[in-house]
Amino acid sequence: MLATSDGRHFGDKTHLTDKSYTTEMTSSSSGSGMSTSTTKTICLPPALAGSADGVNLAWTGGDGHVNVALARRYGEPAPVRLAETSRVAPALADTGPEIVLAWAGTDRHLNLLSIRGERMGRGLRLEEKSNAAPAVCMLGNVLTLAWAGTDRHLNVLTARDDGTFGRAVRLDETSNTAPAVCAIRNEIVLAWTGSDRHLNVLISRDRSLGKAVRLAEKSSTSPAACEQGGQVFLAWTGTDSRLNVARLGLP
């Protein structure tokens, strides 16, 4: 992990011993009819969420189990290995009293779990599915979940005032990777890498989705977004493998 106080200079790197990855097996046949299989290791990104107690971390271990390291007001974070499994990265959001963990299970169904202190709530398995990691954030006391469906179309699901979910909004835009979401003022900012590799940004106000803006910048992986000091920052890995951080000019 790297820390920054001004959004430009990074330092204070922390090296963790835990690993986050999944494996993928591919098979091929030769002209003689012999078949061979190859196992490929795919690194998975972690998820972060700040809270009053510090920084909370979540990841998918090499054994497929979802893990969380919960921040403690006093002492080091407490790693917890959950029974639930996934082949993609999880997502985290701070609600104030709770931390919300989201992930796509090995059956591709999306799941939500609330964590209060060190007490795990009851998990919620949704009917919606994804082949990639979901994204989750809080705006006030309203939870927003975003993901790329199995048809690659982006979807946004927002909680009602009573905490239950309505129907997901399926966008025309598509992506092969996970989206990113963050909250600023009374708006939700959704960012993703399009199927053409261009980065895209969409702003939702009062639960009404605006028009997507296609940026000139490109990436082959998922972007990341966060709010800091009343501004939204977008980070991504360019097609030249270089890391990029930009401040978005929101209307």
Side-chain angles (χ1 to χ4, degrees), residues 12-28:
D12 300 329
K13 177 180 177 180
T14 301
H15 179 75
L16 306 180
T17 58
D18 302 271
K19 296 181 178 181
S20 182
Y21 64 92
T22 189
T23 56
E24 184 179 272
M25 182 174 292
T26 57
S27 299
S28 60

Side-chain angles (χ1 to χ4, degrees), residues 48-51 56 91-102 112-116 134-146 156-165 180-190 204 207 225-228 232:
L48 283 175
S51 66
N56 302 273
L92 279 178
D94 173 40
T95 71
E98 297 177 333
I99 295 294
V100 174
L101 173 67
L112 293 170
L113 177 67
S114 61
I115 308 171
R116 185 184 291 264
V136 64
C137 78
M138 291 294 298
L139 178 58
N141 60 352
V142 175
L143 180 73
T144 295
L145 181 69
V156 179
L157 183 61
T158 303
R160 299 191 183 99
D161 293 335
D162 61 0
T164 61
F165 289 98
V181 291
C182 71
I184 179 171
R185 299 188 295 271
N186 63 336
E187 303 164 348
I188 294 292
V189 178
L190 173 67
S204 172
R207 306 190 189 184
C226 75
E227 182 275 338
Q228 170 62 33
V232 173

Side-chain angles (χ1 to χ4, degrees), residues 87-162:
R87 295 185 182 278
V88 295
L92 279 178
D94 173 40
T95 71
E98 297 177 333
I99 295 294
V100 174
L101 173 67
W103 72 94
T106 49
D107 61 359
R108 299 188 295 174
H109 279 276
L110 295 173
N111 296 263
L112 293 170
L113 177 67
S114 61
I115 308 171
R116 185 184 291 264
E118 296 185 11
R119 182 179 177 181
M120 302 289 174
R122 184 176 180 178
L124 176 63
R125 179 177 179 269
L126 305 179
E127 290 299 321
E128 289 78 5
K129 294 182 178 181
S130 178
N131 294 318
V136 64
C137 78
M138 291 294 298
L139 178 58
N141 60 352
V142 175
L143 180 73
T144 295
L145 181 69
W147 70 94
T150 52
D151 60 358
R152 299 190 303 158
H153 280 271
L154 291 164
N155 296 264
V156 179
L157 183 61
T158 303
R160 299 191 183 99
D161 293 335
D162 61 0

Side-chain angles (χ1 to χ4, degrees), residues 11 24 39 80 146 162 166 240 247:
E24 184 179 272
T39 300
V80 177
D162 61 0
D240 59 357
R247 183 174 64 246

